[in-house]
Amino acid sequence: MSSAATTAPSGVHDHGRSYKAEAVFYAEIFGLLISLTILTVTLSYVNVGWALDLTGRAPNIVAGMLVAAVKSSLVLWFFMHMNHEGRLNRFIFAFALCLFTLAVVAFSSDFVWLHTYVVEGARAAVGGM
Amino acid sequence: MFDPAAQDHHPTLSPAFHRERRDMRAMGMWLFLGSEVMFFTAFFAAYIVARSAAPGFVAMPLERGFGTLNTIVLLTSSLTMALAVLNSKRGERVKTGRYIALTFLLACVFLVVKGIEYAHHFEAGDFPSHDIFFGFYFLLTGFHGLHVLGGMITLAILWWRNRRGDFNKDYNDPIEIAGLYWHFVDLVWIFLFPALYLL
């Protein structure tokens, strides 16, 4: 019988690290999450599209959602231990996340398109009359 | 008398059985969380469409201080929940109980801050029927608040069961599975915060 089968499971989270090392690692992830929260708030006060000569809120929305995606990945991967889940569990949740991403990206693209072409185009047409 | 808790960590159960049972429970929770993602996706998609196309839609300025404070509170509760799970894996019953209680208290703080925020809105006459933005604001934060409340009930039960001595180094699946749910509540807020307060 293999040693894995004879020892009681200490859980999927026991990565062989000491308690202190594991707790410090969690604290580091927490620090990163707080830093990213500060970044999100800061980004909302600046014109993110300035460097690319873009106007409107679209660049800020994209930047804000990207930071949120990074934050959620950190929570998912390290606090929820997705990295130690089996393939099936990963697939189940990844599938739902893909649908979420698809919905957000598809509808946000509409948002950008509507404002860049339809609204601005309508304004230009009205102004040109 | 049949005691399910005693059956759960019966010494004669093999480690392979423990692992398989844990994986099945985790799969159940991941499936549930997947359905929860779709639940919030529907509201998010509706919010994006309303924001882009609804006539007269204006993203009203919310008090960022409240939103930022609640983000920090929820992120901290995620840390305490992760530490509760970590301690339960090591059979540290007292520490596990403390971290579960701390997570519960932080959830209370979150709801109190949200309640104060809601009171400010109501004083200003900003009801869900006021305009489309506030309709979505109350819908999204209201459902999220209900999820926090559900998490708090789960945490209270876990704290009581941990105190009773139901969990040990080999049997702690419920704490880990509840942890997944709690972190998911945090995940939802990570997206709600910029979408409603900042952008």
Side-chain angles (χ1 to χ4, degrees), chain A residues 17 19 44-45 85 88 100, chain B residues 22 27 41 64 87 90:
Chain A
R17 286 189 288 203
Y19 171 80
S44 70
Y45 286 104
E85 285 293 347
L88 187 57
F100 171 77
Chain B
R22 181 264 161 210
M27 185 191 287
T41 297
R64 293 177 179 195
N87 278 288
R90 284 165 167 76

Side-chain angles (χ1 to χ4, degrees), chain A residues 32-112:
Chain A
L32 205 52
L33 287 166
I34 295 293
S35 307
L36 287 168
T37 302
I38 295 167
L39 176 67
T40 312
V41 176
T42 308
L43 281 177
S44 70
Y45 286 104
V46 299
N47 179 13
V48 176
W50 175 79
L52 298 169
D53 205 22
L54 294 170
T55 54
R57 299 294 294 164
N60 281 62
I61 292 171
V62 172
M65 286 297 123
L66 281 177
V67 176
V70 173
K71 283 171 72 179
S72 58
S73 302
L74 286 172
V75 172
L76 197 59
W77 206 249
F78 298 112
F79 282 171
M80 296 172 85
H81 297 277
M82 182 62 106
N83 52 342
H84 288 88
E85 285 293 347
R87 281 182 191 169
L88 187 57
N89 287 356
R90 282 190 200 184
F91 172 78
I92 289 166
F93 199 68
F95 187 76
L97 281 185
C98 283
L99 290 176
F100 171 77
T101 310
L102 188 69
V104 169
V105 170
F107 288 116
S108 299
S109 312
D110 265 7
F111 176 75
V112 173

Side-chain angles (χ1 to χ4, degrees), chain B residues 164-180:
Chain B
R164 196 174 66 174
D166 281 4
F167 308 122
N168 56 43
K169 195 180 173 191
D170 298 325
Y171 175 68
N172 41 56
D173 302 349
I175 299 176
E176 187 196 346
I177 305 302
L180 290 178

Side-chain angles (χ1 to χ4, degrees), chain B residues 2-3 5 9 17 36 48-50 64-65 67 100 105 126-127 131 136 140 149 151 156-157 165-167 187 198:
Chain B
F2 177 71
D3 182 0
H9 54 266
F17 175 84
E36 288 281 84
I48 292 168
V49 170
R64 293 177 179 195
I100 291 173
L105 283 177
D126 297 327
F127 292 96
D131 63 23
F136 273 104
L140 287 164
L149 202 61
I157 294 168
D166 281 4
F167 308 122
L187 276 190
L198 304 177

Side-chain angles (χ1 to χ4, degrees), chain B residues 16-184:
Chain B
F17 175 84
H18 277 291
R19 272 193 297 276
E20 196 168 325
R21 183 195 53 197
R22 181 264 161 210
D23 286 346
M24 295 309 285
R25 284 177 169 170
M27 185 191 287
M29 181 48 83
W30 283 113
L31 278 167
F32 173 67
L33 295 182
S35 73
E36 288 281 84
V37 168
M38 299 320 299
F39 176 82
F40 280 102
T41 297
F43 293 128
F44 254 93
Y47 175 68
I48 292 168
V49 170
R51 194 172 165 147
S52 61
F57 184 96
V58 179
M60 304 298 281
L62 299 170
E63 291 183 57
R64 293 177 179 195
F66 282 130
T68 310
L69 175 64
N70 262 351
T71 304
I72 293 168
V73 167
L74 267 195
L75 288 175
T76 311
S77 76
S78 254
L79 173 68
T80 55
M81 192 68 221
L83 290 170
V85 174
L86 179 66
N87 278 288
S88 73
K89 296 281 175 198
R90 284 165 167 76
E92 299 274 0
R93 195 162 66 90
V94 176
K95 279 187 180 178
T96 303
R98 278 182 196 158
Y99 280 117
I100 291 173
L102 206 51
T103 310
F104 183 88
L105 283 177
L106 287 164
C108 288
V109 172
F110 178 88
L111 286 186
V112 166
V113 171
K114 202 81 218 135
I116 294 169
E117 204 181 347
Y118 273 14
H120 281 209
H121 291 311
F122 295 148
E123 277 174 23
D126 297 327
F127 292 96
S129 57
H130 186 248
D131 63 23
I132 305 171
F133 174 77
F134 277 108
F136 273 104
Y137 166 77
F138 283 109
L139 181 83
L140 287 164
T141 57
F143 271 123
H144 179 263
L146 283 177
H147 280 74
V148 173
L149 202 61
M152 285 172 71
I153 294 167
T154 311
L155 286 170
I157 294 168
L158 282 179
W159 182 83
W160 176 71
R161 286 191 64 190
N162 180 65
R163 193 163 184 262
R164 196 174 66 174
D166 281 4
F167 308 122
N168 56 43
K169 195 180 173 191
D170 298 325
Y171 175 68
N172 41 56
D173 302 349
I175 299 176
E176 187 196 346
I177 305 302
L180 290 178
Y181 174 80
W182 190 255
H183 294 307
F184 176 78

